[in-house]
Every structure is written in C-alpha cells, then in structure tokens.
Amino acid sequence: MPSEQGSTVPRRRLGRELRRLREAAHITIEAATDQLEWSRQKIWRIERGEPAMRALDVEAMCKIYGAPKDLTEALKALAKETKARGWYHAYGDVIPKWFEIYIDLETTASLQEVYNGELVDGLLQTRSYIEAILRTSTVHTAADIERIVEVRIARQSVLGNDGKKFDFILNEAAIRRPVGGPLAIGHQLRQLAAMSEHSNISIRILPFATGAHGAMLGSFRVLDFPADSEPDTVYIEQLTGALYLDKAHELEPYRDQFRNIGNLALDQRKSRDLILAAEKEFCSG
C-alpha cells in the first residue's frame, strides 16, 4: 500500500523553509556559501528539496539565518524524515527520477483536476489496458512492463481514500480508441463507468461535437494540497520528463482552462451513458 508520506515531500518542505529563512534574513546564496563553507550548488540543491539532510547541517543553516530555537528544532526533526524512502524505491529501475516527485505529490494532494486528451488516465486504467499501452513502446522489455504495471496498479490505491477528490475530464477519443482490442477496451470502459459511481470521483467526457477547445494543446493535471503542506501544482508529463508549475501566474491559466472545458463536457450521468454506449459498440462489433 503506497504511503501517504513519501521521501521527497519532507525534503521539499524543508528546502522551502530554509530558503524562506535565508531570504527573510536578507542573506544571499553567495553569502551563505561563504559562512557555511559549502558550494553554491549544495545550497541550491537543498533549497530545491533534492538531498536527504543531516540535522547538524540544518542546525548550521538555521544558526546563520537567525532562526528561533523552536523552529530550528522542528526543522532538525523534519531533516530526519528526509532519509525515508518512498514505497516506489523498489521500482527505481523502471521509474524515472522525475516521476518519483509526482508519485509523492499524488499521495499528498487533496484534489486532482485532470484532463486527458488521448488515453484513459493512469489512475483509472485496467491491467490489460496498461499492458497494451506499454507494448507500443520500443524501449520496455517484458519484465519492465510487468513492473511498471505493478507500480501503476499500486498508485491507484489513492482513489480509495474518500478524503481525496478526483475530477477527470476525458476527451471522447479516450473512450473510442480500441486500446488492446475489443475485449480489453470493453473491460476498461466498464471499469470507468463503475468508478464514476464513487462519491469522490467525477468522470466526465468532452465530446467530439464540442469542436475546437482550449485544451487541444495537451493533457495536464492540477493538484491542490492541504494548507501548509505543498504549493498547488500543475503537472504536465512529456516523453522524457515533466513540468511542475507552482507559481500563481503559471497555475491560473490551467485552472481557467479546466473550468472552460468543464463547462463544455457532458455531466456525469450523460458521460456514464456515453461510456456504456461505447462499450456496447465494442462488444457487439
């Protein structure tokens, strides 16, 4: 069962706090490197939340930044959490480093607003659907595929947490494309319809009849977090990496975009009807 607290979450939280303390003390990175006798790269990586941290190093940083004792002790305790490893560490051979950050964000987010233009979202995919997608790759071996399937299925446990909300909008292409053949896509569509009955999951279809719309440029997801945990973030996956956008001027256009396509999408009932109609077409064809 994936943990609610992954290894990169405390690292990023600690990095943000240390950067905030440095900036509040009006100390530049260059001045900090001189006083700590560290490289500029080390401090930059710490503030980005990349390395695990020693309590002694955190204490040294807090001292030159003038942090109060109680905050210093709290950050030293947080440093110990940065050494924890996420459940996905065992799959490091098939999970790229840039995706590890997303897995931690996914288990922490309280709300996900997701738009998928071509495929059923990974959190909603069946095993046969996942396997069919991965078999189109020229770089995955059969052993890789099985391990990636295990990771994706494990990630789906987050859907069972009623305290988390999920709002999926799928382009109609995602339910019309016969990924894996009629049996596989039929099973996938039946699961979609069943998942849409869950109280914390909304699945809506953006129909072809909509015509042109603003999200035609690609899929994206907006993740909202409980207060004081993580900054709300837009995640955009690419072939060899991903974008993580958490500045207000970056977030708002995607929030607006999601609202716009939400106004164009079918409601949940009509979406479920369309999903089941597509399933019948595949199974009777």
Side-chain angles (χ1 to χ4, degrees):
M1 178 70 67
S3 169
E4 288 292 305
Q5 182 68 33
S7 62
T8 68
V9 170
R11 293 180 190 181
R12 291 195 307 278
R13 188 175 303 164
L14 180 57
R16 287 195 302 273
E17 285 299 317
L18 291 170
R19 182 179 67 247
R20 184 186 63 78
L21 283 171
R22 178 180 61 76
E23 292 174 346
H26 304 290
I27 296 174
T28 65
I29 288 182
E30 288 72 18
T33 60
D34 290 341
Q35 294 186 59
L36 291 164
E37 298 183 347
W38 294 348
S39 69
R40 190 180 193 281
Q41 178 74 2
K42 179 175 180 177
I43 294 180
W44 182 79
R45 291 186 66 242
I46 288 171
E47 292 187 355
R48 282 175 56 87
E50 294 182 2
M53 291 290 291
R54 299 189 310 161
L56 284 175
D57 287 343
V58 171
E59 185 174 31
M61 297 178 80
C62 286
K63 183 176 181 180
I64 70 165
Y65 298 160
K69 184 176 180 180
D70 57 345
L71 179 56
T72 298
E73 292 304 313
L75 295 182
K76 286 169 62 178
L78 185 57
K80 296 177 181 178
E81 296 182 31
T82 68
K83 297 179 176 63
R85 289 180 170 180
W87 62 270
Y88 48 78
H89 179 77
Y91 297 92
D93 56 325
V94 293
I95 299 178
K97 290 295 182 184
W98 51 263
F99 192 64
E100 291 183 2
I101 297 173
Y102 175 72
I103 294 178
D104 281 343
L105 291 176
E106 182 173 71
T107 58
T108 309
S110 55
L111 168 66
Q112 290 195 45
E113 295 176 321
V114 182
Y115 171 68
N116 280 92
E118 287 289 327
L119 297 170
V120 170
D121 189 74
L123 286 178
L124 302 170
Q125 292 173 1
T126 62
R127 175 175 290 271
S128 57
Y129 189 95
I130 300 169
E131 290 172 345
I133 294 169
L134 294 176
R135 282 197 296 269
T136 66
S137 170
T138 58
V139 298
H140 296 313
T141 65
D144 286 344
I145 288 174
E146 180 55 33
R147 286 173 61 72
I148 295 171
V149 170
E150 289 175 10
V151 172
R152 196 166 298 179
I153 295 297
R155 282 176 49 213
Q156 294 176 0
S157 66
V158 74
L159 296 171
N161 186 331
D162 290 338
K164 298 180 182 296
K165 303 296 182 183
F166 302 86
D167 190 354
F168 297 96
I169 298 178
L170 307 180
N171 190 292
E172 187 174 347
I175 64 170
R176 297 295 185 186
R177 193 179 302 282
V179 174
L183 289 179
I185 190 61
H187 180 208
Q188 175 64 79
L189 294 178
R190 287 191 296 276
Q191 174 157 305
L192 268 187
M195 294 300 291
S196 70
E197 300 279 3
H198 292 207
S199 61
N200 66 324
I201 299 173
S202 168
I203 300 174
R204 292 177 289 161
I205 304 300
L206 186 63
F208 288 144
T210 298
H213 58 86
M216 292 174 69
L217 293 177
S219 302
F220 64 92
R221 58 210 308 136
V222 182
L223 296 92
D224 287 3
F225 298 90
D228 301 323
S229 60
E230 289 284 322
D232 294 346
T233 301
V234 171
Y235 173 78
I236 304 171
E237 189 167 319
Q238 301 170 329
L239 187 60
T240 57
L243 293 177
Y244 294 88
L245 309 175
D246 60 13
K247 304 293 188 297
H249 71 275
E250 298 170 326
L251 280 163
E252 286 312 309
Y254 285 93
R255 291 193 192 278
D256 289 343
Q257 191 72 271
F258 195 82
R259 283 192 290 267
N260 289 340
I261 59 176
N263 290 334
L264 298 171
L266 301 176
D267 63 27
Q268 293 186 67
R269 182 185 60 78
K270 290 180 179 178
S271 294
R272 189 178 303 118
D273 290 345
L274 184 59
I275 290 167
L276 292 174
E279 185 268 337
K280 288 180 181 178
E281 290 175 16
F282 281 118
C283 292
S284 63

